[in-house]
């Protein structure tokens, strides 16, 4: 009986030690997580303030609502609202005001891409439609899909992948 009691005491001591170790580790992990979250929140707050400042600066960068793009030597003029229709796209990011863009001598912004399907990309951003003939032609559809991926126009990528 005494051996059993000693075993139980030893077991209880080991349990208490393990419990204390676990609580200490849990407390340290919790503090680390809290500090990490505070740091992330501070970075987000800082990024938000920088974004607002750049967005306000971006308003001065584009005094008119029209933008001329030179895509591989072919010019296209459109509204900023069109380029920003898909917020996560490359074009929306470029013209969000967060990035300093340098225009060409004629005021256009050069994009080093094949211009073949850019008209379709731009028209898609205008009304979220693609002509049936472009979708039916497997070669055009594949090339347009590559361009949609490049420009990060997710809704167009999904549309073309469904076909």
């Amino acid at each position: 009986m005494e051996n059993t009691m000693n075993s139980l005491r030893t077991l209880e001591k080991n349990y208490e030690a393990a419990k204390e170790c676990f609580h200490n580790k849990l407390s340290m992990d919790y503090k680390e997580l809290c500090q990490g979250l505070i740091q992330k929140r501070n970075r987000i707050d800082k990024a938000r303030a920088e974004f607002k400042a750049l967005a306000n600066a971006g308003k001065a960068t584009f005094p008119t609502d029209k933008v001329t793009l030179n895509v591989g030597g072919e010019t296209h003029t459109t509204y900023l609202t069109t380029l920003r229709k898909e917020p996560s796209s490359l074009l929306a990011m470029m013209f969000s005001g967060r990035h300093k863009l340098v225009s060409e001598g004629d005021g256009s912004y050069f994009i080093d891409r094949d211009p073949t399907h850019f008209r379709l990309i731009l028209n898609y951003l205008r009304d979220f439609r693609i002509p049936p003939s472009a979708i039916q032609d497997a070669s055009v559809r594949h090339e347009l899909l590559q361009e949609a991926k490049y420009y990060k126009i997710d809704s167009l990528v999904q549309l073309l992948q469904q076909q």
Side-chain angles (χ1 to χ4, degrees):
M1 177 82 145
E2 195 169 316
N3 284 342
T4 305
M5 289 301 286
N6 286 336
S7 293
L8 284 174
R9 284 185 197 110
T10 303
L11 195 57
E12 186 177 9
K13 242 188 222 182
N14 291 341
Y15 168 76
E16 290 299 325
K19 184 172 98 173
E20 185 177 341
C21 181
F22 173 77
H23 282 293
N24 289 340
K25 173 80 170 115
L26 186 62
S27 180
M28 286 184 352
D29 288 349
Y30 178 76
K31 286 178 184 175
E32 281 182 35
L33 284 172
C34 287
Q35 288 173 347
L37 287 173
I38 289 168
Q39 289 172 349
K40 285 182 181 179
R41 185 185 65 205
N42 290 341
R43 284 194 302 264
I44 289 170
D45 289 344
K46 182 180 176 186
R48 182 181 295 130
E50 289 173 357
F51 174 76
K52 284 182 180 177
L54 288 172
N56 289 336
K59 289 176 185 169
T61 305
F62 304 110
T64 66
D65 203 23
K66 288 183 186 173
V67 176
T68 299
L69 302 174
N70 176 342
V71 181
E74 190 175 285
T75 59
H76 299 269
T77 301
T78 190
Y79 288 103
L80 283 173
T81 53
T82 301
L83 297 176
R84 294 175 180 161
K85 279 242 181 110
E86 184 113 356
S88 63
S89 74
L90 177 66
L91 295 168
M93 299 275 193
M94 285 175 65
F95 293 94
S96 67
R98 287 183 268 173
H99 307 284
K100 180 162 176 40
L101 299 177
V102 179
S103 62
E104 299 293 308
D106 63 358
S108 68
Y109 294 91
F110 182 74
I111 298 175
D112 190 14
R113 289 298 281 181
D114 184 332
T116 305
H117 301 297
F118 190 75
R119 178 184 57 82
L120 293 172
I121 295 284
L122 206 48
N123 283 336
Y124 177 79
L125 290 173
R126 288 177 176 130
D127 57 19
F128 294 107
R129 291 185 301 152
I130 291 293
S133 59
I135 292 174
Q136 291 166 354
D137 184 324
S139 175
V140 171
R141 185 176 65 242
H142 176 73
E143 291 171 4
L144 188 55
L145 176 61
Q146 297 314 307
E147 292 302 296
K149 286 179 180 179
Y150 174 80
Y151 290 109
K152 294 179 175 51
I153 303 173
D154 297 333
S155 61
L156 181 55
V157 169
Q158 290 175 355
L159 176 75
L160 294 169
Q161 286 177 336
Q162 290 173 357
Q163 302 303 317

